[in-house]
Amino acid sequence: MEESSLISLNVGGLLYSTTRSTLSSHSPSLLSSYIQGDTSVSSTIHSLPDGTIFIDRDGTLFSIILNFLRTDRLILCDSFRDMVGLREEAAFYQLPALIHRIPSPSENGGGYITLGYRGTFAYGRDGQADVKFRKLQRILVHGKASLCREVFGDTLNESRDPGDHDFSDRYTTRLYLKHQCLEKACDAMAEKGFRLLSTCTSGANGLSSHQLMSSGLSPGGQNV
């Protein structure tokens, strides 16, 4: 690699090293414009006498920005919570692709949502559930009404509990989704930053009589 392709950056006092191609990987953006010689960004990005690029922004969050430019992936540790700050930094660097991938922080301060379903499973060979025979009548949604509305949007059916849309602290167990795709519901929650805490199932109708499963289940289908 040629030495001229290397770039040193000082972002909020933290030093980084990367390449011109990395900083130009998402174009147009603030960094790609600077690399291409756009003088309009000189008020926010400064070149020091030793050639280091100085940016007066959050140096810690820049590591996430730089990793995104390198890998085209948003990489966050499990303990990361500053979604608002990261979104602001992504906006500063003019990276709409990154902004789109940052989970939206709930305006309600977070919370929990429980998904349930009404349906049956038909078991195939070796006691394995074959999704081709799965039949879900309804996916139930339990939690704070405003949070459920934020996560599921137009796919949420509130006809059984319309309530007051301006009352954000109302909790309900009477909402359900307009579709019957459990994977789609889980994807919607994951995109909003939710993580799976636990699962519980009572199995399919007639599961307690299945020869491979009956020894571990009570007549009601619950684990014992």
Side-chain angles (χ1 to χ4, degrees):
M1 181 179 295
E2 297 181 1
E3 185 177 357
S4 60
S5 67
L6 297 176
I7 298 289
S8 296
L9 302 101
N10 181 331
V11 184
L14 297 182
L15 301 180
Y16 294 91
S17 295
T18 186
T19 65
R20 292 179 179 272
S21 60
T22 294
L23 296 184
S24 303
S25 60
H26 281 261
S27 183
S29 70
L30 182 72
L31 293 172
S32 67
S33 296
Y34 180 83
I35 293 299
Q36 295 166 10
D38 187 346
T39 58
S40 65
V41 301
S42 59
S43 60
T44 54
I45 300 180
H46 309 278
S47 180
L48 301 180
D50 63 355
T52 299
I53 297 174
F54 176 76
I55 307 175
D56 189 17
R57 300 292 296 189
D58 190 306
T60 302
L61 291 179
F62 185 74
S63 64
I64 302 175
I65 301 292
L66 188 56
N67 278 336
F68 174 76
L69 295 176
R70 288 168 172 162
T71 65
D72 197 33
R73 296 172 54 205
L74 174 59
I75 303 173
L76 301 175
C77 63
D78 290 340
S79 60
F80 185 81
R81 293 292 181 271
D82 191 10
M83 300 299 178
V84 174
L86 181 57
R87 187 177 291 272
E88 290 180 355
E89 293 304 297
F92 171 80
Y93 291 106
Q94 301 170 14
L95 295 169
L98 176 56
I99 295 174
H100 179 71
R101 301 184 193 185
I102 299 173
S104 299
S106 170
E107 297 177 356
N108 304 300
Y112 296 87
I113 291 178
T114 300
L115 293 182
Y117 67 84
R118 294 177 182 172
T120 58
F121 290 84
Y123 277 75
R125 296 178 179 178
D126 301 324
Q128 299 298 315
D130 190 335
V131 296
K132 291 186 296 184
F133 296 103
R134 186 179 65 182
K135 184 177 182 181
L136 296 182
Q137 284 83 28
R138 182 167 291 179
I139 298 176
L140 309 173
V141 181
H142 308 160
K144 185 181 291 186
S146 58
L147 182 59
C148 296
R149 191 179 302 118
E150 177 185 341
V151 172
F152 296 108
D154 293 338
T155 65
L156 188 67
N157 192 322
E158 301 182 62
S159 61
R160 295 177 65 239
D161 188 6
D164 184 354
H165 282 233
D166 295 327
F167 186 39
S168 61
D169 291 332
R170 179 174 63 88
Y171 285 81
T172 179
T173 61
R174 297 176 58 82
L175 304 178
Y176 63 95
L177 299 182
K178 297 177 182 178
H179 60 79
Q180 289 80 42
C181 182
L182 199 56
E183 293 82 358
K184 182 178 179 180
C186 292
D187 283 348
M189 296 183 68
E191 289 174 0
K192 292 295 185 178
F194 281 79
R195 296 180 182 275
L196 180 66
L197 295 182
S198 64
T199 61
C200 179
T201 178
S202 59
N205 290 346
L207 181 62
S208 59
S209 63
H210 196 286
Q211 61 178 354
L212 296 179
M213 301 295 292
S214 59
S215 61
L217 298 174
S218 67
Q222 299 295 328
N223 288 325
V224 294

